[in-house]
Amino acid sequence: MEMKIHEIAVIGSGTMGSQIAMVCALSGYPVTLQDVSGESLAKAKDFLHQQMDKRVKKGRYTAEETDAAFSRILFTSNLADVRDADLVIEAIVEKLDVKRELFRQLDKITQPHAILATNSSTIVSSKLADATSRPEKVCNIHFFNPALVMELVEVVKGPHTSEETANTAMEFVKTIKKTPVLLKKEISGFIANRILGKLMDEAVFLLENGYASHEEIDLVCTKALNHPIGPFALMDLTGIDVNYFVRMQRYEESGDERDMPAKIVREKVQNGELGRKTGKGFYTYEKAAVEG
């Protein structure tokens, strides 16, 4: 059995949160996109308009469909506005204490039947569930960047997650025209990012030890392995700071020095070279590419 989802809330209006909100709105759901920062919400609205204008020009959507989707999204800085959501998807910073505090607040604000999900692929939901009075309704629903394009969504059932919650999440993903995969038990990184992580680690090892340049390593991955994008270009796309926070979280959990962010990643973060969003990472980007 699964319950019916009528309204969605997304917390965090960054790259992932804003796109998840639009994906849901395009499928007909009323969506509340909440962020503590009014500036971030304004940027999210501009970003989504740019993205959807491109899709209208390419004929993927009509202007009417896009306008209708925007009319379904409430951009708000007030967390209380998510009170009527049947499903809340958290997409804020990858910091456990911040997420736990948010889940505590969501538990008080939302209706008792509401599912509270995290988009994190690093922090499993069992680390958040006990911050609520409804652990059976807590799970991971992990979208991939860019969420407007990527078809796969990983749904993860923690030891606390009920069958009903897992089934509802799986059915919801299908309604937004995505392909869900169910992980029957938790593991940090899930499937795609665990496999990708091994590739990233090897790519960084080869770079740091002088075997090849980052451009050449990316070229091997795209031309020999037929990957659509190389590991360094991908880190620039998702944000080098995201890689840093993921590795720091893993290191804090394991205490294993091998889990720490690579030296070159630490240096990039310290220098503010975070990839496309700052104009420079492993590659340098034109302003249009950063905004696009």
Side-chain angles (χ1 to χ4, degrees), residues 5-8 21 23-32 69 72-73 171-173 175-176:
I5 301 293
H6 301 287
E7 288 192 33
I8 308 292
V23 166
C24 296
L26 285 166
S27 294
Y29 286 104
V31 183
T32 301
R72 296 186 195 105
I73 303 176
E171 289 305 313
F172 158 72
V173 171
T175 68
I176 56 171

Side-chain angles (χ1 to χ4, degrees), residues 83-215:
R83 67 174 71 85
D84 294 326
D86 303 301
L87 169 63
V88 182
I89 302 170
E90 167 272 312
I92 65 170
V93 66
E94 289 291 279
K95 293 185 177 178
L96 180 58
D97 57 337
V98 181
K99 288 184 190 288
R100 282 182 62 84
E101 178 54 31
L102 174 62
F103 271 67
R104 267 192 287 272
Q105 293 179 48
L106 290 172
D107 188 47
K108 294 173 185 172
I109 293 167
T110 57
Q111 302 299 316
H113 72 269
I115 292 172
L116 307 180
T118 175
N119 182 58
S120 178
S121 66
T122 312
I123 297 173
V124 291
S125 67
S126 60
K127 294 184 179 296
L128 304 170
D130 66 342
T132 77
S133 62
R134 62 183 95 180
E136 74 284 356
K137 293 187 176 293
V138 178
C139 67
N140 290 74
I141 300 178
H142 176 234
F143 291 76
F144 291 86
N145 189 26
L148 279 165
V149 177
M150 301 294 281
E151 291 181 20
L152 193 85
V153 176
E154 293 172 319
V155 174
V156 187
K157 185 179 184 294
H160 53 279
T161 309
S162 70
E163 291 288 343
E164 180 189 39
T165 296
N167 291 339
T168 299
M170 290 288 286
E171 289 305 313
F172 158 72
V173 171
K174 292 175 188 175
T175 68
I176 56 171
K177 303 176 182 66
K178 300 290 186 186
T179 302
V181 169
L182 178 65
L183 276 75
K184 299 172 185 67
K185 56 184 181 178
E186 292 182 336
I187 185 167
S188 180
F190 310 152
I191 298 172
N193 282 345
R194 286 185 72 84
I195 294 170
L196 178 63
K198 298 297 183 187
L199 177 76
M200 293 277 196
D201 288 350
E202 191 61 29
V204 169
F205 170 83
L206 293 168
L207 175 65
E208 287 192 328
N209 287 278
Y211 290 101
S213 68
H214 67 271
E215 295 97 338

Side-chain angles (χ1 to χ4, degrees), residues 181-277:
V181 169
L182 178 65
L183 276 75
K184 299 172 185 67
K185 56 184 181 178
E186 292 182 336
I187 185 167
S188 180
F190 310 152
I191 298 172
N193 282 345
R194 286 185 72 84
I195 294 170
L196 178 63
K198 298 297 183 187
L199 177 76
M200 293 277 196
D201 288 350
E202 191 61 29
V204 169
F205 170 83
L206 293 168
L207 175 65
E208 287 192 328
N209 287 278
Y211 290 101
S213 68
H214 67 271
E215 295 97 338
E216 289 166 324
I217 295 166
D218 275 358
L219 194 63
V220 169
C221 290
T222 56
K223 298 299 184 185
L225 303 181
N226 207 26
H227 292 184
I229 186 171
F232 295 103
L234 181 59
M235 270 195 270
D236 277 3
L237 177 64
T238 56
I240 295 171
D241 54 331
V242 173
N243 178 281
Y244 175 84
F245 285 130
V246 165
R247 295 308 294 257
M248 283 304 296
Q249 177 68 32
R250 195 173 300 168
Y251 169 64
E252 285 166 15
E253 287 179 14
S254 71
D256 189 336
E257 295 283 330
R258 292 172 299 182
D259 286 335
M260 283 193 74
K263 182 171 179 283
I264 195 166
V265 169
R266 296 199 300 271
E267 289 172 353
K268 292 283 184 192
V269 171
Q270 286 164 7
N271 294 332
E273 297 173 3
L274 308 181
R276 283 178 176 265
K277 60 188 172 186

Side-chain angles (χ1 to χ4, degrees), residues 26-39:
L26 285 166
S27 294
Y29 286 104
V31 183
T32 301
L33 178 59
Q34 189 274 342
D35 197 298
V36 292
S37 166
E39 183 184 357

